[in-house]
Amino acid sequence: MNKEAVSGATAGFMATITLHPLDVIKTRLQVQDLQIATKYNGTLHAFKTILKNEGARGLYAGLSPAVVGNTASWAMYFAFYDRARKRYEKASNDDGEVEKKKTKEKKSISSGETLLAAAEAGVCVSLLTNPIWVAKTRLALQERGGGGGME
């Protein structure tokens, strides 16, 4: 496994563990039906309500697929991006073979090629991880009983 994939996996894991409660709150705020009844009146109210009614576990609803999805997504993204960038660098340097021999310098890729490498990586990751995000969203919407004991 290359160092880019390991770096991406680590970043994805840490970001998920840290920020997942905000993702749960965001998801629940987005799907509440405002015409029937408003359960949450904003981010802080949602945080307090979930904590009171479901405990800390409620803030981490759907964590497993989120950890798997983000860890895998960032690992794949970094790896795909690195491969695409190297492919563009090789193509750039192969085009200037004569110049490269004179200067013994590698040409860096252009901004457009950087954008293309990032887009390629993003499309690949989106196609491969979409089912994980569907599962994560469904699990994040499930309310858990048990209360948190915090008033």
Side-chain angles (χ1 to χ4, degrees), residues 81-151:
Y81 174 77
D82 186 57
R83 281 191 178 168
R85 185 182 50 75
K86 285 179 179 172
R87 192 176 66 249
Y88 287 116
E89 281 177 355
K90 185 177 181 331
S92 281
N93 288 313
D94 286 348
D95 290 344
E97 196 64 42
V98 174
E99 289 177 31
K100 187 172 86 172
K101 287 180 182 176
K102 289 179 187 174
T103 63
K104 296 193 183 205
E105 288 181 19
K106 282 188 174 182
K107 286 172 51 178
S108 61
I109 62 175
S110 70
S111 297
E113 290 167 326
T114 301
L115 180 64
L116 284 173
E120 283 179 34
V123 167
C124 291
V125 170
S126 292
L127 291 172
L128 293 171
T129 60
N130 189 55
I132 296 169
W133 303 130
V134 171
K136 183 210 60 115
T137 300
R138 288 183 180 171
L139 287 170
L141 292 173
Q142 291 180 357
E143 294 185 16
R144 302 177 189 287
M150 299 182 109
E151 307 269 333

Side-chain angles (χ1 to χ4, degrees), residues 29-75:
L29 284 168
Q30 287 175 328
V31 299
Q32 72 180 343
D33 190 349
L34 298 176
Q35 293 180 358
I36 294 175
T38 302
K39 188 168 188 173
Y40 307 114
N41 297 318
T43 304
L44 189 58
H45 182 256
F47 177 81
K48 288 177 182 178
T49 302
I50 293 168
L51 204 54
K52 180 180 176 186
N53 295 336
E54 303 172 49
R57 286 188 62 189
L59 293 170
Y60 284 92
L63 180 65
S64 296
V67 166
V68 169
N70 278 317
T71 301
S73 291
W74 284 107

